[in-house]
Amino acid sequence: MRNIILTTESGADLSESLIKHYPIRVVPMHVIMDDIDYKDGHFPVTDIFDYYDKTKKIPSTTSTNPNEYEALFSEIRQEHPDATIVHIGYTSKASSSFQNALTAGEEFENIHFIDALNVTAGLGAVVLYAAKLLEEKPDISLEDFITAIEQTVAKTRLSFLPGQLEYLRAGGRVSNAQYLGAQLLKIKPLIELVDGKLVSTKKYRGKMLRAVNDLLDDYFTRYQLDNSQLYLIYSIGLDDSIKEAVEASLIARGFPHFDWVQAGCVISCHCGPAAFGIAGIEK
């Protein structure tokens, strides 16, 4: 049995129970508020929203730095000298974290890096696919393991609806004119990962429940998904009635197995409260 240890960033939004079960080593990304650096996952997400309510400023986010990766890889090497480390990283098109991991990895042997080209539960879906594959096939060759993950990266699909356009406006992602127009017309932009980049690809009109239903219709029309691994993303504040409607819709579509993933601090800085998203892997 090959000893392979998986690593990733906190931006994968993996729960503590999943991290402990497989196990997966996670290094934090960062949130900056009033020039103070906070580690993602080490403080309540509600602090992000409270900060915005008080200041009308969106906290900035920063990548994991090379020293943090070096510390993680060194710790793993000390604990497991013969292990192979496979790092599945946050998309390099939206953060310098992956490049920082590559830089730190130059000092080590037997480390392999895979750019997931995804964030939040999209990244998490790739990491968990890898973890489950190791569990199911403990004797898989390293070459086949890496190839399987890379193929999965190309088939992973993430779509989400920000909860409040105020966060997009405050973060400079939409102009005041776009914000006012969207508010008047009740428009909600669909954000997707396209070639590793966060892109607004479509606009939905109406209340959040209607927009979520439209998102699901489009998502399942476009993608033929593996129904054994589906993730529903929410940020704090999403109404329970929307969650219930989503679950009923998925069961009706033949997806009885799905997991809810709470957006962490880094992702919540971009999507705001009451956001919804979905991530899955195509067959």
Side-chain angles (χ1 to χ4, degrees):
M1 177 178 176
R2 180 180 291 273
N3 186 11
I4 296 176
I5 295 177
L6 297 174
T7 64
T8 191
E9 292 86 13
S10 61
D13 289 336
L14 296 173
S15 68
E16 286 297 323
S17 60
L18 287 172
I19 291 169
K20 291 177 181 178
H21 173 75
Y22 281 105
I24 301 162
R25 305 294 287 268
V26 178
V27 63
M29 300 174 80
H30 299 266
V31 173
I32 310 298
M33 293 184 284
D34 289 333
D35 296 325
I36 300 174
D37 187 315
Y38 298 88
K39 292 183 179 181
D40 184 17
H42 292 250
F43 67 99
V45 176
T46 49
D47 286 0
I48 301 289
F49 306 143
D50 291 342
Y51 178 79
Y52 174 73
D53 290 340
K54 292 175 183 177
T55 66
K56 297 306 175 187
K57 296 178 182 178
I58 299 297
S60 60
T61 59
T62 61
S63 59
T64 307
N65 63 57
N67 291 335
E68 291 171 305
Y69 287 113
E70 185 175 348
L72 174 65
F73 298 152
S74 295
E75 183 178 279
I76 293 172
R77 275 285 170 266
Q78 290 174 1
E79 296 173 358
H80 308 278
D82 299 324
T84 297
I85 299 172
V86 176
H87 179 75
I88 304 174
Y90 195 96
T91 176
S92 63
K93 304 296 181 64
S95 169
S96 61
S97 283
F98 189 74
Q99 182 57 50
N100 291 343
L102 291 176
T103 299
E106 293 175 356
E107 304 298 321
F108 299 87
E109 295 182 352
N110 208 15
I111 299 183
H112 300 266
F113 297 90
I114 299 172
D115 186 348
L117 296 174
N118 227 307
V119 302
T120 187
L123 169 56
V126 177
V127 175
L128 290 173
Y129 167 83
K132 292 175 181 179
L133 181 59
L134 277 180
E135 191 173 65
E136 295 168 1
K137 299 181 178 180
D139 297 321
I140 189 171
S141 70
L142 179 62
E143 180 180 358
D144 288 345
F145 182 60
I146 297 295
T147 298
I149 299 171
E150 291 174 340
Q151 291 174 344
T152 298
V153 167
K155 298 186 294 181
T156 302
R157 309 297 176 213
L158 168 69
S159 299
F160 75 89
L161 294 170
Q164 294 183 13
L165 288 183
E166 291 176 353
Y167 276 69
L168 294 178
R169 179 183 61 166
R173 298 176 185 89
V174 299
S175 67
N176 284 334
Q178 290 173 316
Y179 169 76
L180 291 173
Q183 290 292 90
L184 288 171
L185 297 173
K186 295 184 178 179
I187 291 175
K188 294 176 174 57
L190 174 65
I191 309 297
E192 297 182 281
L193 264 290
V194 180
D195 296 326
K197 298 178 181 177
L198 291 161
V199 179
S200 178
T201 57
K202 191 171 183 177
K203 296 180 176 64
Y204 296 119
R205 290 191 178 185
K207 295 182 178 180
M208 190 63 171
L209 178 57
R210 176 181 171 183
V212 167
N213 284 329
D214 289 343
L215 182 160
L216 293 176
D217 286 342
D218 288 343
Y219 188 84
F220 286 105
T221 297
R222 291 170 63 189
Y223 306 125
Q224 298 299 312
L225 298 161
D226 177 356
N227 66 1
S228 67
Q229 190 174 345
L230 191 68
Y231 302 96
L232 306 173
I233 310 147
Y234 74 99
S235 59
I236 291 174
L238 185 67
D239 194 275
D240 286 342
S241 63
I242 295 177
K243 293 182 180 180
E244 292 168 1
V246 168
E247 292 182 359
S249 175
L250 292 183
I251 292 171
R253 294 172 191 271
F255 286 82
H257 306 293
F258 47 81
D259 294 288
W260 283 99
V261 176
Q262 181 182 307
C265 299
V266 165
I267 304 302
S268 293
C269 287
H270 303 294
C271 70
F276 171 79
I278 184 168
I281 299 171
E282 289 194 272
K283 296 178 181 178

